């Protein structure tokens, strides 16, 4: 009898195991996202704003309009090649439009800037625009004494502190902005005009590349330095740190440049004490992306550390979209 019970028990256990295995085999097995890049620069290239392609007649000039409403206006006979020869015929124009905090982070195009006193600071942005002009694959530029105009939709309305800026690409593919004029709208020499209907800014650009319609962030109170401790990062050298806030519907995205040390810092005495900001930190290690987020009130000489969580690309995109 005991033998029969043992046999029956073995049969039932075997049946259960087979059933369990069959059920588990039918369950989907989570798959790790396979990335086509292994560093933070690859992350930007894959997820940043992509270029839009147009053509213009160099002789007659013309206007192109980007998907997000940016207009680029070329005057007639204004483009030259690398030897200074005036160009005629059809030219290719590639543009990028960046308006939101998420686009600035994903494209590695923050609002870091240098003011008129050569001090590091940051901007509130009405929109960043890149313009690249070529003919038969050769780069073109504006003829001396000429300029094209950029018209960007305005989110903040008329503001006399708005200025046109030109961008300089840094070694890590980021950007730093310098004002090309020192006066804003309301002055005939400003190089920038507010248009009420539709609400937009039109400004002059003298060189192809990155330009911006922005204002210097003004804060009358005390300013300080923040220190970022990256010892918790899965890959400190491939970690990007951004500070984000908004004022009057205009984003400010400040990159804390990574010096390759365990502790990095913001621009010295540049962060407004008491300002509410969001820190966004992204890194990548062994085909896995990590994200850390922290909402803070800027405190004097504070050192911040972060808890990193593995995230898919879509999870990162969805999180950053909440900043817009």
């Amino acid at each position: 009898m005991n033998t029969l019970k043992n046999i029956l028990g073995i049969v039932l256990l075997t049946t259960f195991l087979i059933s369990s295995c069959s059920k588990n085999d039918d369950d989907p097995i989570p798959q790790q996202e396979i990335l086509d890049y292994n560093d933070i620069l690859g992350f930007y290239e894959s997820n940043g704003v992509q270029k839009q392609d147009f053509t213009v007649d160099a002789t007659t000039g013309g206007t192109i309009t980007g998907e997000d409403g940016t207009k680029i206006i070329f005057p007639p006979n204004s483009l030259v090649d690398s030897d200074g020869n005036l160009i005629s015929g059809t030219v290719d124009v590639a543009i990028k439009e960046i308006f939101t905090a998420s686009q600035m982070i994903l494209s590695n195009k923050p609002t870091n800037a240098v003011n008129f006193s050569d001090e590091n600071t940051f901007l509130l942005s009405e929109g960043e625009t890149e313009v690249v002009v070529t003919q038969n694959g050769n780069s073109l530029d504006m003829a001396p004494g000429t300029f094209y105009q950029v018209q960007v939709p305005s989110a903040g309305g008329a503001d006399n502190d708005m200025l046109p800026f030109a961008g300089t690409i840094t070694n890590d593919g980021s950007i730093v902005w310098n004002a090309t004029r020192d006066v804003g709208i309301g002055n005939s020499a400003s190089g920038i005009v507010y248009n009420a209907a539709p609400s937009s800014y039109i400004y002059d650009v003298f060189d192809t590349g990155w330009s911006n319609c922005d204002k210097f962030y003004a804060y009358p109170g005390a300013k300080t330095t923040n220190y970022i401790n990256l010892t918790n990062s899965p890959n400190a050298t491939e970690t990007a740190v951004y500070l984000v806030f908004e004022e009057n519907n205009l984003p400010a995205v400040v990159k804390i440049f990574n010096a390759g040390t365990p502790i990095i810092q913001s621009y010295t005495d540049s962060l407004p004490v008491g300002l509410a900001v969001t820190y966004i930190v992204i890194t990548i290690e062994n085909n896995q992306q990590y994200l850390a987020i922290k909402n803070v009130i800027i405190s004097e000489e504070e050192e911040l550390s972060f808890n990193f969580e593995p995230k898919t690309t879509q999870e990162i995109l969805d999180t950053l979209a909440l900043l817009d």
Side-chain angles (χ1 to χ4, degrees), residues 104-120:
M104 293 173 187
I105 293 172
L106 292 169
S107 303
N108 195 25
K109 295 297 177 286
T111 62
N112 298 54
V114 176
N115 65 20
F116 295 119
S117 299
D118 289 328
E119 298 169 329
N120 293 316

Side-chain angles (χ1 to χ4, degrees), residues 114-153:
V114 176
N115 65 20
F116 295 119
S117 299
D118 289 328
E119 298 169 329
N120 293 316
T121 184
F122 47 92
L123 311 171
L124 293 164
S125 181
E126 281 278 19
E128 305 171 349
T129 307
E130 184 186 35
V131 176
V132 176
V133 187
T134 59
Q135 187 178 63
N136 300 323
N138 299 312
S139 296
L140 306 179
D141 213 329
M142 302 304 295
T146 69
F147 57 85
Y148 62 93
Q149 291 185 307
V150 177
Q151 181 174 1
V152 291

